[in-house]
Amino acid sequence: MIRQITIIGVGLIGGSFALALKKHGYKGTIVGSDREAVLQRALARGVVDRAVARPEEAISGSDLVLLAAPVGAIVDLIERIGPLLPPDALLSDTGSTKAEIVSRAKAVFGAQAAQRFLGGHPMAGKENSGVEFADATLFDNAVWFLIPAGDPASPLTGKTQELRELVEMIGARPLQMDVDRHDRLCAWISHLPQMISTALAATLEEEFGDDPELHSIGGRALREMTRISSSSYSMWRDIAHTNTENIQEALLQLEQRLAYIRENLRTPGLRDEFDLANKFNSPKSEKGTDS
């Protein structure tokens, strides 16, 4: 059983995972590893049971180590602590892209990669970061991608299955998927919306930045479209660097769509676009979805 968990990166995601475990009855020990100031806040909130700043020391005695950091840091941490993990420990992560992460895990663990590493990506978050915003309900009914380092169609066993059970225990919905499909899908459903929001907010700031009434005039639609534009660049830089081709493809197709709309504002083509868009939000059968 997973009796001790080390979370490296006790911010919004790592802290929320710890709080969710506690809320749902996890009785083991949760060790946090981060900067000293972050760890003190995490201890004060009861997010972690013990705090150890150095990751190499924090993993001692743990059955599961979760890397809840930006993608670039996750890749470096796999190289740094992978060889130091207890022999029966499982390493996982919460990175938003998976190709480079899984590739590094395979290089570090070799033939044992499928048993020693299971990639993860919870589709949950906020525009705010930091342990101060950690929330035990953050993962309620959220998809939690599980990306094996081996055959994605093979059933999980041992600690990889135990991790899946922990994900279910905290109210998330585990979804097993291969790395290429994950990165392409997330480029469309997560990374593209962020780039749209960022571009829209930057354009509005450039055009109307000195207008104090803009936010109140814009209303709900503007707030919803620009809410995630306040997300951290440091996190999104790593995502853009490690999923560049998929994001470029999505942006190019969107650019072409916007150009078509611009050129058809006074033709039936605009109606056709609205009709097609309306279908996206219409109820759809659940048949054929991933499981």
Side-chain angles (χ1 to χ4, degrees), residues 12-238:
L12 172 66
I13 298 298
S16 295
F17 182 63
L19 289 176
L21 287 171
K22 291 172 178 286
K23 175 186 175 183
H24 291 278
Y26 177 71
K27 302 301 182 184
T29 301
I30 300 178
V31 180
S33 181
D34 209 309
R35 291 179 291 109
E36 195 61 44
V38 174
L39 292 176
Q40 291 306 312
R41 294 195 294 272
L43 285 169
R45 284 198 62 191
V47 174
V48 298
D49 303 311
R50 288 198 291 118
V52 182
R54 295 189 70 244
E56 295 89 343
E57 298 174 4
I59 65 176
S60 178
S62 284
D63 304 295
L64 169 65
V65 175
L66 183 72
L67 306 178
V71 172
I74 290 171
V75 172
D76 291 340
L77 281 164
I78 292 172
E79 188 81 33
R80 181 174 159 193
I81 69 170
L84 305 177
L85 281 176
D88 295 326
L90 175 68
L91 184 64
S92 188
D93 77 290
T94 62
S96 298
T97 66
K98 291 268 88 71
E100 288 198 24
I101 290 173
V102 172
S103 176
R104 186 61 56 92
K106 288 180 176 179
V108 169
F109 295 115
Q112 296 297 312
Q115 292 75 45
R116 303 299 307 280
F117 179 83
L118 178 61
H121 176 202
M123 293 295 288
K126 300 179 182 179
E127 62 271 26
N128 305 111
S129 59
V131 70
E132 299 87 347
F133 299 98
D135 181 354
T137 67
L138 185 66
F139 308 112
D140 287 359
N141 204 39
V143 166
W144 190 302
F145 286 113
L146 296 175
I147 313 298
D151 181 357
S154 296
L156 302 179
T157 60
K159 283 196 171 63
T160 60
Q161 174 60 22
E162 289 181 37
L163 174 56
R164 180 188 177 99
E165 291 169 1
L166 285 179
V167 167
E168 291 176 331
M169 185 183 82
I170 64 173
R173 296 182 287 124
L175 181 60
Q176 195 168 325
M177 188 175 290
D178 74 85
V179 63
D180 292 335
R181 174 163 166 75
H182 169 275
D183 282 6
R184 184 174 187 274
L185 188 62
C186 285
W188 282 92
I189 66 175
S190 176
H191 309 162
L192 180 62
Q194 176 65 52
M195 299 308 166
I196 293 170
S197 181
T198 297
L200 176 59
T203 303
L204 289 169
E205 179 64 25
E206 198 167 66
E207 291 289 325
F208 302 101
D210 57 351
D211 188 337
E213 296 181 321
L214 182 65
H215 286 276
S216 60
I217 293 172
R220 179 180 176 184
L222 181 67
R223 289 193 300 272
E224 290 181 351
M225 286 289 293
T226 59
R227 178 181 59 82
I228 59 174
S229 67
S230 59
S231 298
S232 165
Y233 165 71
S234 61
M235 180 183 76
W236 282 96
R237 175 197 59 213
D238 288 358

